Amino acid sequence: MLIGCLIALCSVAVSGCDTSPADIEAPEPGVIEATTQGPAGAHPGSCWGRTVSPAVIETVTEQVQVQPAQISSTGEVQAFPIYRTETRQQIVKPRIDNWFETPCAVQMTPQFVETLQRALEARGIYTGQISGSYDAPTRAAMREYQISAGGPDSPILALTTARQLGLIAVDRATLE
């Protein structure tokens, strides 16, 4: 009987560990990988990445008068005012979505990623293997490079960064 209870208990515990892909939440579009669901007014067919600046919240504590002072007709204070301390959270700076244009997935071919890896390697940021795969070491190097170059704090390759690295041609109209 005891062994049967232990087996039943273990099977319940193990079944609670099973998570199917449907149970895992998908990340917000643009945060982990580029998306075509860009900001309002984005050109159709363009791809976007996004960083999220968190809201800044501060705790405000203030004294609120519950009962005013009672003063007699002669001007004497008969009862002092009563206050209570109230604490609340206040948003000082709201959350901001910072959108940036990216190369679309069709442009991110293995040959393009190899060129990106070589460009990052030439700058001393990428030390992994030139694989043509946009893997974790490539994303980490991309994020590090973009931050140092004043770009977005994101592992997603920004179009401006791709142009800085010489990976995508700059349109002549933008130069004039």
Side-chain angles (χ1 to χ4, degrees):
M1 173 88 173
L2 179 61
I3 294 175
C5 289
L6 287 174
I7 291 172
L9 182 61
C10 288
S11 66
V12 169
V14 170
S15 68
C17 295
D18 186 29
T19 57
S20 65
D23 297 337
I24 300 170
E25 273 189 52
E28 293 184 72
V31 175
I32 303 297
E33 57 188 30
T35 180
T36 56
Q37 302 172 21
H43 298 294
S46 61
C47 296
W48 296 85
R50 177 175 57 128
T51 59
V52 179
S53 299
V56 177
I57 300 172
E58 70 178 21
T59 301
V60 177
T61 304
E62 57 189 1
Q63 298 291 313
V64 177
Q65 188 177 39
V66 177
Q67 182 178 346
Q70 295 177 1
I71 301 174
S72 68
S73 58
T74 61
E76 281 185 55
V77 176
Q78 294 185 344
F80 291 105
I82 299 174
Y83 292 89
R84 97 171 156 248
T85 303
E86 286 187 359
T87 304
R88 60 183 165 80
Q89 301 256 312
Q90 178 177 331
I91 296 176
V92 176
K93 183 177 176 185
R95 169 187 151 147
I96 299 172
D97 289 342
N98 305 301
W99 289 96
F100 56 95
E101 198 166 0
T102 66
C104 290
V106 297
Q107 294 171 293
M108 299 293 283
T109 64
Q111 295 80 15
F112 182 87
V113 175
E114 284 176 2
T115 305
L116 169 64
Q117 290 169 331
R118 282 189 202 95
L120 293 171
E121 181 182 56
R123 287 158 178 83
I125 295 174
Y126 181 70
T127 58
Q129 191 173 25
I130 305 298
S131 64
S133 174
Y134 204 76
D135 53 10
T138 305
R139 286 191 300 273
M142 185 73 264
R143 180 174 178 262
E144 182 182 337
Y145 177 76
Q146 288 186 139
I147 291 170
S148 69
D153 180 358
S154 174
I156 301 170
L157 172 63
L159 203 57
T160 55
T161 304
R163 287 185 179 126
Q164 285 174 349
L165 291 170
L167 303 175
I168 294 179
V170 177
D171 185 17
R172 286 182 169 251
T174 60
L175 295 175
E176 297 172 356

